[in-house]
Amino acid sequence: MTALQHPAAQEPAPPAWARRPANLAKAVTEELVRRVVRGDYPPGSALPAEHALCATFSVSRTVVREAVKVLQEKGLVQIRQGSGTAVLPSTSWNLLDELVLAATIDDDTTLGILDDLVVTRRLLESDMANVAARVADQDALDRMRDLVERMDQLVDDPESYHEHDRAFHDTVMRASGNRIARAVVRSLESQVINTSSYMGRTERARCEESNRGHRRICERITARDPEGAAEAMYAHITDAWLVRRGTQGDPDRLAR
């Protein structure tokens, strides 16, 4: 019997809906994404048959078909007519997808996926800081400086501080004019902004150190120093993440 022919004997228990979801297809999709990412259905195996999924979630075939189709769009499975739906390896997953990335972060105790996210952000934002140092107009420079000054006053107000922190980085990205890189960074950030493993603890000393990094970036951009701006952004993103992640995972992943 091949991997794709295994029966659904090991099917995990169905989720206990505290309240039957209004959008059943969405709820089933979210649960199936979690199960695939978690490894309940290993790569190369078959997703449980349609009738089994209907029984598991107490939903119709239409709901199951819609959910499985979405899973295929996210790169988690491949629907194969006549031979079942195959679960694909993680190399096929769309990690820019909100559900897939969230489930991957939740399942990753090593913080490796967040390390990869930070490395990606660091690469893109360092380049955008380099460009901003060459092309930023006076309005952008004034806004960066104003945000840095304001953050110095907000070190005891973490929520407001982080709002201004994000505004500072967005101002640098906007100043670079790179709309694609900015969209990628904003998409990734929006999906982890409320994740405790990414945000870590917030303390006055950490906010103060973080804003010293912002000030160095602002100074290098204002001085029209592209290489210095890129280096300051690289160091700021790296150092801030190393502090937040603490002793967890493997910090050598960031040495790229």
Side-chain angles (χ1 to χ4, degrees):
M1 181 178 292
T2 66
L4 293 183
Q5 294 173 320
H6 280 302
Q10 301 302 315
E11 168 68 3
W17 306 124
R19 179 181 302 171
R20 192 167 176 81
N23 189 326
L24 288 172
K26 181 180 178 181
V28 172
T29 299
E30 291 175 353
E31 180 62 24
L32 287 176
V33 167
R34 284 192 288 268
R35 292 185 181 192
V36 171
V37 170
R38 198 166 58 213
D40 293 346
Y41 311 131
S45 68
L47 204 65
E50 193 175 90
H51 67 85
L53 291 175
C54 290
T56 295
F57 295 103
S58 300
V59 295
S60 68
R61 288 179 179 267
T62 299
V63 169
V64 167
R65 287 170 185 167
E66 183 177 343
V68 172
K69 181 180 178 181
V70 174
L71 256 64
Q72 179 169 250
E73 293 170 353
K74 296 178 186 297
L76 273 67
V77 303
Q78 178 64 53
I79 300 172
R80 297 173 177 172
Q81 298 299 327
S83 60
T85 299
V87 178
L88 298 176
S90 60
T91 51
S92 298
W93 302 350
N94 177 12
L95 286 173
L96 293 180
D97 177 85
E98 181 178 2
L99 290 181
V100 178
L101 180 58
T104 304
I105 290 172
D106 287 345
D107 188 60
D108 183 16
T109 58
T110 70
L111 299 186
I113 189 65
L114 289 177
D115 285 337
D116 290 344
L117 184 152
V118 169
V119 168
T120 301
R121 179 187 165 201
R122 183 178 68 185
L123 175 68
L124 294 174
E125 287 202 52
S126 294
D127 183 75
M128 285 187 278
N130 178 298
V131 176
R134 291 186 275 115
V135 304
D137 61 24
Q138 192 59 48
D139 286 345
L141 297 177
D142 290 343
R143 177 158 172 73
M144 289 177 211
R145 188 161 43 247
D146 290 346
L147 286 165
V148 169
E149 296 298 332
R150 180 60 179 148
M151 281 186 279
D152 273 340
Q153 302 168 15
L154 293 172
V155 292
D156 290 317
D157 183 354
E159 185 173 347
S160 294
Y161 177 88
H162 288 307
E163 288 178 3
H164 286 70
D165 184 338
R166 291 189 292 275
F168 175 83
H169 284 270
D170 194 52
T171 300
V172 175
M173 292 189 290
R174 281 179 178 272
S176 77
N178 191 330
R179 292 172 294 174
I180 297 297
R182 174 175 175 262
V184 172
V185 171
R186 284 172 59 84
S187 175
L188 291 173
E189 280 267 285
S190 70
Q191 296 175 47
V192 295
I193 197 170
N194 295 316
T195 303
S196 60
S197 55
Y198 179 73
M199 296 301 295
R201 301 191 312 277
T202 302
E203 302 165 356
R204 179 189 176 98
R206 292 186 178 184
C207 290
E208 290 175 337
E209 177 57 33
S210 169
N211 207 36
R212 283 193 284 272
H214 295 144
R215 189 173 294 280
R216 285 191 290 271
I217 295 165
C218 183
E219 289 171 349
R220 291 300 88 209
I221 292 176
T222 301
R224 302 299 184 184
D225 176 7
E227 291 187 5
E231 290 171 2
M233 182 67 79
Y234 186 103
H236 168 64
I237 291 176
T238 303
D239 294 345
W241 172 235
L242 286 174
V243 169
R244 295 200 307 275
R245 79 198 296 283
T247 59
Q248 300 181 74
D250 177 11
D252 288 341
R253 289 175 63 93
L254 296 177
R256 302 182 184 180

